[in-house]
Amino acid sequence: MSLPDKQPASPNGILPDGLFPGMTRDDDPQETAEWLDALDGVIARDGSSRVAYLLTRLKQRAFQRGVRYAGAATTPYVNTISAAEQPEYPGDRQLERRIKSIIRWNAMAMVVRANKLSPGIGGHISTYASAATLYEVAFNHFLHGKEGREPPDQVFFQGHASPGVYARAFLLGRLTEEHLKNFRRELQAKPGLTSYPHPWLMPKFWEFPTVSMGLGPIMAIYQARFNHYLVDRRIKPDAEASRVWAFLGDGECDEPETLGAITLAAREQLDNLIFVINCNLQRLDGPVRGNGKMIQELEGAFRGAGWNVIKVIWGSDWDPLLAQDTDGLLMRRMGEVVDGQYQKYVVSSGDYIRKHFFGVDPRLEAMVAHLSDEQIRRLTRGGHDAAKVYAAYQAAVEHQGAPTVILAKTIKGYGLGEAGEGRNITHQQKKLNEAELVEFRRRFEIPISDAAARRAEFYKPPADSPEMQYLRGRRQALSGFVPGRRAPTVKLKPPKWEDYAEFFAGSEGREVSSTMAFVRLLARLLRDKNIGRFIVPIVPDEARTFGMESLFRQFGIYSHAGQLYEPVDSDTVLYYREAKDGQILEEGITEAGSMSSFIAAASSYSSHGISMIPLFIYYSMFGFQRIGDLLWAAGDMRCRGFVLGGTAGRTTLAGEGLQHQDGNSHLNALAFPNCQAYDPCYAYEMAVIVLDGLRRMYYEEEDIFYYITLMNENYEMPILPLGATEGICRGIYRLSSRELGAKRPMVQLFGSGAILRESLRAQELLEKHFGVGSHVYSVTSYKTLYYDGRACDRWNRLHPGQPPCRAYVAQALEGQSGPVVAALDYASAVGLSIAPWVTTGPSATTSPRPLGEGPGVRATGGAVSGSVFSYVVLGTDGFGRSEARGELRRFFEVDAENIALAALAELAERDEFPREELPAAIKLLGLDPDKPNPVTV
Ligand SMILES: Cc1ncc(C[n+]2csc(CCOP(=O)(O)OP(=O)(O)O)c2C)c(N)n1
Ligand SMILES: [Mg+2]
């Protein structure tokens, strides 16, 4: 089958040779020629800025006269920087080429060896093979480490290129041969290397987790913005914000997060931000845009968003051809061939390219008549030409007022030859046969024997070789290693608890919500003389929902440009004040963007050496389930800070219905290892958790972050009970006791968050109508109890001879009896997670029974020898409803009446309450036995 060489139209709707849809030919070539001559004249006489001015005026005039021509956001398919404008290359290209070849070899050998030893262990060769020049030019000439006076660069590496970064670190002596041998084998006796950039696993090496594609680019944008924030607020004394480099794949640009925030970068004039997009035209399965042109598509998107776009498409060997191309024929041919076809050229002979690319026009064919087929085949792509890449980077760092994107065309699997260069299978290629290894060694001139090549042995030149000296010298000149993570350099002074006494004193009859209490706490933190400056409030267009607008005026909304208009509410006390030194990050409707800001602030202790304290408050339903992957990255990155799920709980948000009522986030949070998840009910609980969190994160330097849910239901906030702080932090404490004497049955009630007050009401109902005594416990964190219980079990299992550890929840129930009924505003699985440790002490007598039907979800079974529990969890499983709170709680069966019934039913199981009285109890409590199950309706 022969493929079409000439495509009818390019993807942006402009016909190949500049004609527009509906136009088939140039009706007046002579007139066209006159205009072009005139243009040439202006260029020769006055230069390019004059031309740009005239073109702008022409466009304006045409518009005034009714010509509706917006113009394309793209430029021709050639390098943005012409050969004439290219700066001289400052390095030793010969030596750099040798170093790059050695790194290529070791990166490839690392993956091949790993798969030889343990087939299927994985790894990627082709991504780095295509990007080697992009990285090497940056490492040798641009990326600043942390040991100099200049602000260090922050680099987001393409996750799949990690073998190249490791191979370089090996040459530099940062990693040993053992590390490389144990690539993707982290659990061996000798040190190993993690597959991708994970700061959690290599905390001195990697800074930014990037391998979940799309997260790197959006985090990079907000990182660059946060760097400006630190300078604008004078937290960092630097005159300039740190530069951020993000290396990404062209396939990665299909992730919504990649392009989703690019307008912000331009709007904020982030000229400290450089995207380098490795346009190898391929992703995992095949071409990124087989029938289109990815570079052109990206150029249009970025230019439209206001970025400085630099295309690096062709290598230097194309320069003489382009110099001959006075009538633009070659340029047009370059523009009309689609990406799928360019990929085909990679795997084709020079003869094929001569025939199919140049052969469409005799004038083009003549242009390359003097080149052999081999020379034609080897014509390079810009991304493999250090001089072209250097020119682009230099222009990018010099550009002011806008971020820069470099679109570098490369070949995926460059250098792999038959083993995968430009092939659709190349992304997954991790095995090279012996002949391919020897060929690779030959092509890149690695000075090892064929036998060593067949064994894929690593190669490191002698320490005093010119290569090694050059390599080290360049890094010394650029202030040390990249990447690299460091410990905080500036320590914060802790806040004094006595300054926060108002939050422990209760609301004295006033009814407030935990959200209101939090906003008051936030305002107090902002005024704290020890840490106030370092607080970073973050909110995605929801400040008024949470009653935070009072902070606008006082602390200001951060805006690099200041406030260029008179706000519509300037005559009010709480006006919308934007300021260059504003402290609040009001992000607009982007949870992903806000979370990226959180990540930048929460990792500032390491990336800037300055601990910042972000508090990111959002609509809780749009947290874990919408941007969970960013939260996961935050954990990986050892972020320290608070995320606050506002309007949380399935039944607290009256009226909003299915989409908004969050009963899931605590279930999600359960799986995030270093996330401390809390569901407080009272203001004092919330304040204790926040203050203790500050201690743990900023003074004990624990790499954890907090998730705290807040509600908008108003009620009186009580006083902090004596001795409750430890229990609040550890997940449970006893709040209220009704002991009615030894003859009366007893139950234990767990309540949390919004539903704690229902448990308290159930306590009243049980006493008043049924003579049942109870203790009510506030469970502030099921997650903390769950992790604690698991840690105890594990310790006991591994230390059989030693006194057993007892889970904290079991300690809280020590000596108590009767069933336990838990109620919460989240999926019941959250409550059930602690079932193994819910034991009511040695006095329990009944034997374990199988999981049964009944109200809520019941877990049964023995836990600690001699003790037995029955544990019922009432949670809010199912889709939400638009309703008022009371009706919602009845619907989900988590209200006081349902809690009381669950307690009575459990007592009846133990013969502590007459079973035959249950129907009357149901009636008295006003419950409907035939009500549908909320999970299934
Ligand atoms: C969010 C996400 N989805 C899917 C993947 C799996 N994946 C890894 S690499 C890859 C292809 C990458 O293509 P591209 O971005 O063009 O990078 P290249 O390797 O071509 O430089 C895919 C689909 C991933 N890592 N992250
Ligand atoms: Mg790609």
Side-chain angles (χ1 to χ4, degrees):
M1 191 190 83
S2 78
L3 289 163
D5 286 313
K6 193 166 170 96
Q7 304 301 321
S10 71
N12 52 18
I14 299 169
L15 291 181
D17 47 4
L19 303 180
F20 286 83
M23 255 176 101
T24 50
R25 64 193 164 90
D26 182 350
D27 287 332
D28 192 345
Q30 196 182 331
E31 187 188 43
T32 309
E34 282 165 19
W35 277 78
L36 294 177
D37 280 348
L39 182 75
D40 287 347
V42 181
I43 294 172
R45 206 176 48 247
D46 303 317
S48 56
S49 46
R50 173 83 187 141
V51 176
Y53 173 75
L54 287 176
L55 290 174
T56 310
R57 289 299 306 272
L58 282 173
K59 208 165 139 186
Q60 283 169 349
R61 174 61 60 88
F63 194 87
Q64 274 171 337
R65 304 294 302 271
V67 177
R68 290 293 172 260
Y69 162 63
T74 54
T75 57
Y77 198 64
V78 291
N79 296 345
T80 306
I81 301 170
S82 68
E85 293 164 321
Q86 215 171 289
E88 206 170 308
Y89 198 78
D92 182 331
R93 286 197 64 181
Q94 203 58 26
L95 269 183
E96 288 187 18
R97 208 181 131 69
R98 296 264 323 114
I99 294 165
K100 183 168 62 185
S101 296
I102 296 165
I103 294 174
R104 277 183 190 286
W105 171 264
N106 287 331
M108 177 277 297
M110 197 164 85
V111 178
V112 169
R113 286 177 74 122
N115 284 279
K116 237 185 207 172
L117 273 175
S118 175
I121 201 88
H124 298 86
I125 301 172
S126 301
T127 302
Y128 179 73
S130 66
T133 304
L134 303 178
Y135 284 115
E136 279 305 296
V137 173
F139 275 126
N140 283 324
H141 301 285
F142 292 93
L143 305 180
H144 290 93
K146 294 188 169 62
E147 285 149 34
R149 249 185 269 144
E150 273 192 75
D153 288 349
Q154 294 160 338
V155 187
F156 290 73
F157 292 94
Q158 203 182 340
H160 296 79
S162 60
V165 182
Y166 289 141
R168 185 168 230 276
F170 166 61
L171 291 193
L172 282 164
R174 300 183 72 191
L175 300 175
T176 63
E177 189 158 331
E178 287 304 330
H179 283 108
L180 266 56
K181 280 184 183 158
N182 281 322
F183 174 54
R184 291 186 169 230
R185 302 300 302 270
E186 298 183 73
L187 304 178
Q188 304 301 304
K190 299 269 175 62
L193 292 174
T194 182
S195 50
Y196 302 115
H198 294 302
W200 187 259
L201 302 171
M202 290 176 66
K204 290 191 176 147
F205 194 89
W206 293 115
E207 279 193 283
F208 304 105
T210 45
V211 79
S212 177
M213 288 188 291
L215 302 193
I218 192 167
M219 288 192 295
I221 289 174
Y222 283 86
Q223 181 71 52
R225 203 285 213 93
F226 188 72
N227 296 352
H228 273 290
Y229 172 91
L230 290 180
V231 173
D232 287 343
R233 286 198 51 219
R234 294 188 209 92
I235 300 236
K236 270 201 111 180
D238 303 327
E240 283 185 21
S242 281
R243 186 169 290 127
V244 176
W245 296 74
F247 290 85
L248 42 146
D250 48 358
E252 185 172 9
C253 295
D254 284 340
E255 289 288 358
E257 290 90 343
T258 305
L259 301 185
I262 59 174
T263 50
L264 169 113
R267 196 186 321 131
E268 299 271 330
Q269 303 180 3
L270 301 180
D271 51 14
N272 61 331
L273 175 65
I274 299 170
F275 270 18
V276 181
I277 306 186
N278 176 13
C279 296
N280 53 29
L281 314 184
Q282 287 182 245
R283 43 182 165 76
L284 194 152
D285 286 341
V288 179
R289 292 287 182 275
N291 294 311
K293 290 172 88 68
M294 192 54 172
I295 291 179
Q296 298 301 88
E297 185 176 323
L298 290 174
E299 179 186 24
F302 279 94
R303 197 182 302 288
W307 286 51
N308 174 41
V309 181
I310 302 176
K311 295 195 287 191
V312 184
I313 303 181
W314 308 108
S316 302
D317 39 13
W318 288 88
D319 287 341
L321 301 179
L322 283 161
Q324 290 175 46
D325 185 37
T326 44
D327 53 4
L329 209 59
L330 176 59
M331 193 163 78
R332 292 213 295 276
R333 179 64 183 144
M334 288 167 159
E336 72 190 6
V337 173
V338 293
D339 286 357
Q341 191 62 29
Y342 274 115
Q343 193 188 340
K344 170 74 177 163
Y345 295 145
V346 174
V347 300
S348 302
S349 64
D351 173 49
Y352 178 95
I353 301 166
R354 187 192 301 280
K355 199 157 132 213
H356 292 261
F357 181 78
F358 296 103
V360 292
D361 189 303
R363 289 168 293 175
L364 283 176
E365 216 170 359
M367 232 185 232
V368 289
H370 64 291
L371 298 179
S372 69
D373 284 351
E374 184 55 14
Q375 282 171 317
I376 289 182
R377 197 183 66 78
R378 284 167 152 262
L379 284 168
T380 47
R381 292 186 176 180
H384 297 300
D385 186 327
K388 300 288 180 200
V389 172
Y390 178 85
Y393 289 175
Q394 188 58 31
V397 297
E398 284 171 3
H399 190 79
Q400 292 191 345
T404 294
V405 59
I406 292 164
L407 302 169
K409 185 164 170 167
T410 63
I411 291 171
K412 189 145 179 170
Y414 186 72
L416 290 184
E418 299 282 315
E421 188 172 79
R423 308 287 201 279
N424 280 338
I425 49 89
T426 192
H427 188 83
Q428 306 286 63
Q429 181 61 292
K430 37 196 133 274
K431 291 182 181 158
L432 263 62
N433 64 33
E434 296 196 340
E436 287 161 347
L437 285 166
V438 170
E439 173 54 23
F440 195 109
R441 183 201 66 77
R442 192 200 55 76
R443 176 162 177 182
F444 292 106
E445 298 168 21
I446 308 300
I448 56 174
S449 67
D450 280 1
R454 279 188 219 106
R455 289 193 299 271
E457 283 186 10
F458 298 120
Y459 173 67
K460 189 171 181 176
D464 57 354
S465 62
E467 289 92 339
M468 296 292 266
Q469 288 184 23
Y470 186 87
L471 186 75
R472 289 193 300 267
R474 292 311 307 151
R475 286 320 311 161
Q476 268 157 20
L478 288 162
S479 312
F481 298 138
V482 174
R485 233 176 139 268
R486 65 180 167 193
T489 44
V490 184
K491 274 239 176 197
L492 299 182
K493 280 198 203 149
K496 295 194 189 107
W497 279 57
E498 44 288 18
D499 290 345
Y500 294 82
E502 61 181 294
F503 298 96
F504 309 132
S507 58
E508 295 173 346
R510 271 184 318 121
E511 298 207 329
V512 296
S513 67
S514 57
T515 306
M516 285 155 76
F518 166 75
V519 173
R520 209 150 51 85
L521 178 68
L522 176 60
R524 185 67 195 79
L525 287 166
L526 283 159
R527 285 196 303 272
D528 189 293
K529 60 181 183 320
N530 286 347
I531 59 168
R533 243 163 83 69
F534 305 101
I535 300 282
V536 185
I538 304 169
V539 63
D541 197 35
E542 216 72 68
R544 290 183 203 278
T545 311
F546 304 131
M548 283 170 68
E549 64 271 36
S550 60
L551 305 178
F552 288 168
R553 160 85 191 282
Q554 200 178 350
F555 298 99
I557 295 163
Y558 172 67
S559 156
H560 184 60
Q563 190 155 39
L564 308 175
Y565 60 96
E566 184 185 351
V568 66
D569 50 3
S570 58
D571 54 349
T572 66
V573 191
L574 303 179
Y575 80 92
Y576 197 86
R577 186 172 77 86
E578 298 194 60
K580 190 163 180 174
D581 62 353
Q583 195 160 355
I584 301 166
L585 291 173
E586 153 64 86
E587 300 293 20
I589 310 168
T590 166
E591 284 76 13
S594 307
M595 188 61 203
S596 300
S597 275
F598 172 85
I599 288 173
S603 57
S604 168
Y605 72 91
S606 153
S607 57
H608 291 285
I610 299 174
S611 292
M612 299 298 286
I613 307 171
L615 296 109
F616 166 31
I617 180 167
Y618 57 88
Y619 227 122
S620 78
M621 195 62 162
F622 308 127
F624 279 89
Q625 73 179 35
R626 184 164 186 133
I627 50 159
D629 208 10
L630 279 162
L631 282 148
W632 188 256
D636 186 345
M637 220 164 141
R638 299 171 172 267
C639 280
R640 300 173 186 170
F642 297 92
V643 287
L644 300 125
T647 57
R650 187 94 69 201
T651 67
T652 53
L653 191 55
E656 288 288 344
L658 179 154
Q659 178 57 67
H660 289 69
Q661 290 162 345
D662 166 36
N664 312 342
S665 61
H666 279 290
L667 187 58
N668 289 320
L670 213 54
F672 287 60
N674 51 356
C675 170
Q676 312 299 308
Y678 285 87
D679 181 20
C681 174
Y682 294 134
Y684 67 77
E685 294 177 344
M686 187 269 304
V688 165
I689 293 160
V690 170
L691 289 175
D692 191 56
L694 288 169
R695 176 189 65 79
R696 288 182 64 187
M697 292 186 286
Y698 297 98
Y699 311 106
E700 306 296 333
E701 307 218 350
E702 284 188 62
D703 289 336
I704 52 176
F705 69 99
Y706 276 68
Y707 174 60
I708 304 173
T709 38
L710 302 171
M711 286 82 67
N712 62 344
E713 183 177 359
N714 294 338
Y715 40 83
E716 183 179 353
M717 295 293 171
I719 302 173
L720 169 67
L722 218 59
T725 48
E726 183 191 332
I728 293 171
C729 297
R730 296 191 66 179
I732 187 169
Y733 68 98
R734 197 196 297 168
L735 186 66
S736 165
S737 298
R738 289 294 161 82
E739 292 178 11
L740 307 179
K743 296 217 177 91
R744 299 307 312 165
M746 191 74 186
V747 294
Q748 313 297 327
L749 304 177
F750 286 2
S752 33
I755 304 301
L756 173 61
R757 293 169 65 253
E758 296 293 333
S759 300
L760 287 167
R761 203 157 63 77
Q763 179 169 58
E764 305 291 331
L765 293 175
L766 286 167
E767 180 184 356
K768 186 168 158 203
H769 299 297
F770 309 103
V772 171
S774 61
H775 293 129
V776 173
Y777 302 78
S778 174
V779 179
T780 49
S781 176
Y782 279 101
K783 183 172 181 187
T784 307
L785 297 176
Y786 171 63
Y787 272 42
D788 168 78
R790 287 184 57 86
C792 265
D793 280 2
R794 180 178 175 277
W795 196 90
N796 291 345
R797 203 162 47 238
L798 293 169
H799 304 86
Q802 301 191 35
C805 146
R806 196 164 159 94
Y808 192 72
V809 63
Q811 289 179 42
L813 289 169
E814 192 91 51
Q816 301 306 324
S817 61
V820 181
V821 178
L824 70 163
D825 218 5
Y826 293 87
S828 49
V830 175
L832 276 172
S833 67
I834 62 165
W837 308 282
V838 178
T839 62
T840 50
S843 60
T845 51
T846 50
S847 56
R849 48 191 167 70
L851 194 74
E853 283 288 301
V857 186
R858 177 196 291 144
T860 62
V864 173
S865 62
S867 74
V868 170
F869 67 91
S870 69
Y871 179 46
V872 176
V873 179
L874 305 181
T876 52
D877 301 300
F879 283 125
R881 288 291 189 286
S882 304
E883 248 304 346
R885 281 187 196 111
E887 283 79 359
L888 280 170
R889 286 173 188 162
R890 174 60 53 94
F891 175 77
F892 282 106
E893 299 165 13
V894 291
D895 59 357
E897 288 74 12
N898 275 288
I899 296 171
L901 175 62
L904 296 176
E906 285 302 301
L907 286 172
E909 288 283 333
R910 300 164 162 245
D911 298 328
E912 292 177 34
F913 184 82
R915 179 174 291 276
E916 59 280 9
E917 287 181 21
L918 284 175
I922 292 174
K923 203 160 175 215
L924 188 147
L925 291 167
L927 300 175
D928 172 9
D930 299 320
K931 174 185 165 300
N933 182 346
V935 187
T936 51
V937 291

